[in-house]
Amino acid sequence: MTPPLPALLDQIHTEAQALYGKGRVADYIPALGEVPPRQFGMAVALVSGESHTVGDAQVPFSLQSITKLFTFVIALKLMGEGLWQRVGREPSGAAFNSIVQLETENGIPRNPFINAGALVITDILTSRYAHLDYALLGALRRLADEPNLHWNPRVAKSERDTAHRNMAMAYFMKSHGNFQNAPELVLDNYCRQCATEMNCQQLAQATLFLANGGRDLAMDGQPDELFLGADDTRRVNALLLTCGAYDAAGDFAYRIGLPVKTGVGGGIVAVVPGVGTVAVWSPELDAKGNSVLGAFALERLVALTGWGHTTL
């Protein structure tokens, strides 16, 4: 008999402490390099409406690449199948900030979750929204049922000041006709997007629609609201499984077996279709840019619950 979920989270929290010091914070973005490394939080939100947390699950952190999931969903809702004319849906097998594939593939990024792909998505949304940061925050506030979400201007500036490679990719894609707006404007929007902050509990709640057939779990006894169609929800989860963990996506699929999106702020969100979502955060990263403790925690949770074997 499987122990209750709170007991499992306590067990994972205890076991994870042994991994402190195995990674390092994302110090190539100076503001993120100042984050105290020995922190760990975990939250589970279930489609039943139940939720559980452990550790530093209420501490806000920089979402970074996890925001690529939300901007991709917004763009998919706007453009439908036309989106795939500007970005692919294949694993890259290269680092998240690699420029090499753009040269051989005519400025079309492999998928929406590497930096080049996310820049194209941000370019699309920049053409649609005068204030993309407000549009994104509006969607996140609705999904998380939290009106006080914001992006951190200090982190955004730190990221923008060091965004030379991203700028190079933007100009390269513009030279191939796959960029409509000024790269400087898109980079401003992209860095504000990445600087969005949430905690584990809010992130688990905000992604619950992906475990619930595209329906946003309503509060106060109201009926669930359709946020994304069921077919598109299935497709988003498929892309998260194959492309959501940078060039470690195959390793994550093997070890964890769930759709995930990771970020260099130390967060990871995982989707258990039909069951719920799991958000973990610990800022020490491995060489691929993924949270060391976060990956361990998800692997242990899947092993202890069997979720990865019964839902995909």
Side-chain angles (χ1 to χ4, degrees):
M1 182 177 176
T2 304
L5 196 50
L8 294 182
L9 295 183
D10 285 337
Q11 177 183 339
I12 294 168
H13 180 258
T14 299
E15 293 175 357
Q17 311 300 304
L19 296 180
Y20 281 139
K22 301 291 186 182
R24 56 183 297 175
V25 297
D27 52 9
Y28 66 92
I29 300 174
L32 295 186
E34 299 171 6
V35 176
R38 291 180 174 249
Q39 300 184 80
F40 172 81
M42 190 170 188
V44 177
L46 302 176
V47 297
S48 64
E50 190 179 341
S51 64
H52 302 281
T53 65
V54 72
D56 299 309
Q58 309 300 331
V59 176
F61 62 91
S62 188
L63 290 185
Q64 293 297 312
S65 285
I66 296 175
T67 61
K68 296 173 183 176
L69 161 60
F70 297 105
T71 52
F72 166 58
V73 168
I74 294 170
L76 185 62
K77 290 175 67 172
L78 284 172
M79 295 189 65
E81 289 296 300
L83 181 66
W84 305 118
Q85 296 176 15
R86 296 191 57 188
V87 64
R89 46 182 187 256
E90 293 290 338
S92 71
F96 62 87
N97 61 352
S98 173
I99 198 172
V100 174
Q101 287 171 339
L102 289 176
E103 292 196 74
T104 59
E105 297 175 8
N106 301 313
I108 304 294
R110 280 283 179 95
N111 65 69
F113 300 139
I114 56 175
N115 285 17
L119 287 167
V120 168
I121 297 295
T122 303
D123 179 55
I124 290 168
L125 297 181
T126 297
S127 297
R128 174 63 176 81
Y129 296 105
H131 297 284
L132 176 53
D133 50 344
Y134 294 151
L136 175 60
L137 284 173
L140 292 176
R141 288 166 178 169
R142 169 186 168 187
L143 290 168
D145 195 33
E146 174 50 69
N148 294 317
L149 297 177
H150 300 283
W151 55 271
N152 186 316
R154 184 167 175 270
V155 173
K157 182 180 186 305
S158 181
E159 192 156 3
R160 183 66 176 84
D161 289 345
T162 56
H164 313 303
R165 182 181 290 262
N166 284 337
M167 185 66 78
M169 285 190 281
Y171 269 105
F172 189 86
M173 289 186 289
K174 194 168 184 68
S175 75
H176 279 277
N178 196 24
F179 223 77
Q180 296 175 352
N181 296 280
E184 291 80 5
L185 174 61
V186 175
L187 260 293
D188 288 345
N189 280 335
Y190 178 76
C191 292
R192 285 193 288 267
Q193 162 194 319
C194 289
T196 305
E197 294 184 339
M198 299 177 84
N199 63 38
C200 288
Q201 188 169 30
Q202 293 163 346
L203 179 58
Q205 183 66 39
T207 48
L208 196 54
F209 72 97
L210 291 172
N212 198 33
R215 293 187 173 275
D216 179 21
L217 195 65
M219 302 289 110
D220 302 322
Q222 298 298 312
D224 294 353
E225 182 179 354
L226 188 66
F227 184 76
L228 186 67
D231 285 344
D232 280 339
T233 299
R234 175 178 55 80
R235 291 168 182 142
V236 170
N237 282 332
L239 278 172
L240 290 174
L241 181 66
T242 57
C243 307
Y246 307 135
D247 50 329
D251 184 58
F252 266 64
Y254 180 83
R255 292 170 53 194
I256 297 165
L258 296 174
V260 302
K261 186 68 198 86
T262 66
V264 298
I268 308 176
V269 64
V271 181
V272 191
V275 177
T277 51
V278 186
V280 291
W281 169 65
S282 187
E284 293 183 327
L285 309 178
D286 63 19
K288 303 288 189 182
N290 298 312
S291 173
V292 173
L293 273 70
F296 167 81
L298 287 173
E299 186 173 12
R300 287 294 290 143
L301 185 65
V302 165
L304 292 168
T305 60
W307 281 350
H309 305 119
T310 59
T311 56
L312 291 181

